[in-house]
């Protein structure tokens, strides 16, 4: 796209560029000047900087500048900028960091990607984290974040930590619970949960240790991110995945729902074997009272056959419970110096309560062993009955 075409789309689509900044006096001016080549629709949030940031911003009277009295974190700065952008009537906001790692001349990449989409989308810049000069901790942190984002949403991305993004302002959540770096994880996960596509677009990145000032605190911020991911995983398993499953049922005819979401008749023998093995694993696991919820959530997450997994999880039906308890306590006894003479005692939940660790260890051994054996037998039998060429 030519520069006039990019500028025209930015105006027509009501796009602004949001720059949160905190003590980046070395690079801030260069970033602003680069963005001004494309648009003057710029919002800068000065998050309590103590350097010359205020004086630098005073050189740009055409910008929308917000000075916060004290530093409260990048997440708080972004939230403040989003509120201002919506108040000014913008529909989209491109966020770019002020530490110089992002190139303003990648703005057309976001514009072209937005034009290609037929619906609102959240775009995240995909940096080449394998290039020379990228800190190893940044590369590891990105892979860590990518995995949990996939686990929580089912969406695979190559970069989930880049701050270079395009947000659809009227599709992102209105309220948030995190104020700092973890905010950028919260917002993309919760936006994906609202059925807004989240995609990567290729961008360049520069890590210059002489200029770049990072405010990421490895221990504190990684701990915050880990706590957030723990909460998001719990919400995904206990609410989001079951909710989506129920919504699919409501939107489709019963026949279509059974075929696509339940029976999944086009699934391979390997997938069917994994579905049954998952059900057996959950059925033997010590999560009594949550088996159905867990097995359906995991089956949806890993795109397995929900009905097969559900029926297989019923190995823990009441008639079988005494045998499961006995086997679990027996298998767990060598690891805790427990009592292996189980058959001489009454098999009930009081026995489990009094030997809880022994039971938990044994039940996990039983669950893993039984599910592995189930997969092997099921896969062998399915291929005997109906060979699947894709499995070989």
């Amino acid at each position: 796209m030519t520069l006039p075409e990019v500028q025209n789309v930015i105006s027509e689509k009501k796009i602004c560029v949001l720059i949160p900044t905190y003590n980046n006096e070395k690079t801030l001016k260069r970033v602003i000047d680069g963005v001004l080549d494309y648009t003057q629709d710029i919002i800068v949030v000065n998050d309590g900087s103590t350097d010359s940031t205020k004086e630098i911003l005073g050189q740009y009277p055409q910008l929308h500048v917000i000075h916060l009295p004290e530093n409260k974190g990048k997440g708080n700065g972004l939230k403040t900028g989003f509120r201002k952008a919506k108040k000014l009537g913008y529909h989209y906001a491109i966020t770019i960091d002020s530490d110089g790692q992002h190139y303003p001349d990648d703005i057309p990449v976001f514009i072209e990607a937005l034009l290609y989409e037929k619906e609102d989308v959240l775009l995240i810049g995909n940096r080449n984290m394998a290039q020379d000069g990228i800190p190893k901790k940044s590369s590891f942190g990105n892979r860590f974040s990518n995995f949990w984002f996939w686990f929580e949403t089912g969406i695979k991305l190559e970069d989930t930590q880049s701050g270079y993004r395009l947000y659809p302002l009227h599709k992102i959540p209105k309220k948030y619970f995190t104020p700092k770096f973890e905010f950028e994880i919260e917002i993309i996960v919760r936006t994906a949960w609202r059925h807004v596509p989240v995609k990567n677009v290729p961008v360049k990145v520069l890590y210059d240790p002489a200029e770049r000032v990072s405010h990421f605190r490895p221990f504190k911020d990684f701990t915050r991110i880990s706590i957030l991911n723990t909460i998001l995983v719990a919400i995904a398993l206990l609410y989001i995945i079951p909710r989506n499953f129920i919504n699919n049922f409501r939107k489709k005819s019963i026949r279509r729902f059974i075929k696509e979401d339940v029976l999944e008749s086009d699934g391979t023998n390997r997938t069917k074997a994994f579905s049954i093995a998952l059900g057996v694993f959950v059925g033997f696991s010590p999560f009594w009272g949550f088996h159905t919820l867990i097995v359906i959530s995991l089956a949806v997450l890993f795109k397995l056959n929900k009905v097969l997994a559900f029926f297989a999880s019923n190995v823990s039906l009441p008639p079988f419970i005494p045998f499961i308890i006995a086997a679990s306590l027996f298998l767990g006894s060598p690891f805790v110096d427990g009592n292996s003479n189980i058959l001489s005692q009454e098999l009930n939940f009081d026995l489990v309560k009094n030997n809880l660790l022994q039971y938990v260890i044994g039940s996990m051994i039983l669950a893993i062993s039984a599910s592995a054996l189930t997969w092997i037998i099921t896969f062998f039998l399915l291929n005997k009955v109906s060979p699947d060429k894709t499995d070989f």
Side-chain angles (χ1 to χ4, degrees), residues 295-325:
V295 76
I296 291 178
S297 295
L298 291 177
V300 172
L301 180 66
F302 294 111
K303 298 181 179 179
L304 300 176
N305 188 303
K306 273 77 70 175
V307 164
L308 290 177
F310 169 73
F311 278 115
S313 70
N314 285 296
V315 292
S316 59
L317 283 173
F320 306 125
I321 289 177
F323 301 100
I324 296 173
I325 292 176

Side-chain angles (χ1 to χ4, degrees), residues 44-239:
V44 182
V45 180
N46 174 19
D47 190 23
S49 298
T50 56
D51 58 4
S52 61
T53 292
K54 192 170 184 178
E55 288 71 28
I56 293 172
L57 294 175
Q59 303 172 24
Y60 299 92
Q62 71 272 45
L63 308 185
H64 300 285
V65 178
I66 302 172
H67 294 287
L68 301 180
E70 59 180 306
N71 176 252
K72 292 187 176 181
K74 186 179 182 181
N76 182 68
L78 288 171
K79 285 184 280 187
T80 302
F82 290 151
R83 287 194 296 267
K84 181 67 173 180
K86 287 195 282 188
K87 187 176 180 180
L88 292 172
Y90 293 109
H91 292 172
Y92 301 90
I94 295 176
T95 60
I96 181 171
D97 291 347
S98 62
D99 61 3
Q101 70 163 295
H102 301 149
Y103 289 81
D105 62 12
D106 276 327
I107 288 177
V109 174
F110 290 91
I111 302 303
E112 290 183 16
L114 180 62
L115 287 177
Y116 179 79
E117 297 293 331
K118 296 180 181 180
E119 58 184 331
D120 281 329
V121 63
L122 194 161
L123 301 173
I124 302 175
N126 179 19
R127 304 161 294 174
N128 179 10
M129 301 301 290
Q131 72 183 50
D132 294 337
I134 303 295
K136 289 185 178 180
K137 63 180 181 180
S138 297
S139 181
F140 169 77
N142 188 55
R143 293 195 301 271
F144 178 86
S145 179
N146 294 347
F147 170 79
W148 287 115
F149 179 75
W150 165 78
F151 194 94
E152 293 151 5
T153 66
I155 301 172
K156 288 188 177 181
L157 295 180
E158 295 182 14
D159 192 344
T160 53
Q161 287 198 316
S162 173
Y164 209 172
R165 304 177 177 186
L166 181 144
Y167 290 97
L169 293 173
H170 297 288
K171 292 298 182 71
I172 59 178
K174 295 180 180 179
K175 294 183 179 180
Y176 303 92
F177 306 100
T178 53
K180 299 185 182 295
F181 284 99
E182 69 274 19
F183 170 83
E184 291 185 296
I185 296 174
E186 178 192 351
I187 190 171
I188 62 173
V189 171
R190 293 182 57 206
T191 299
W193 285 350
R194 295 163 71 96
H195 307 294
V196 176
V198 181
K199 300 181 179 181
N200 277 141
V201 293
V203 298
K204 302 181 291 294
V205 64
L206 172 67
Y207 279 86
D208 187 346
E211 287 188 332
R212 186 169 181 262
V213 178
S214 175
H215 304 291
F216 186 84
R217 301 163 300 176
F219 179 76
K220 288 186 177 180
D221 289 317
F222 190 77
T223 300
R224 286 174 176 270
I225 290 170
S226 297
I227 293 172
L228 173 64
N229 277 317
T230 300
I231 296 171
L232 293 176
V233 166
I235 295 173
L237 291 176
L238 299 178
Y239 173 67

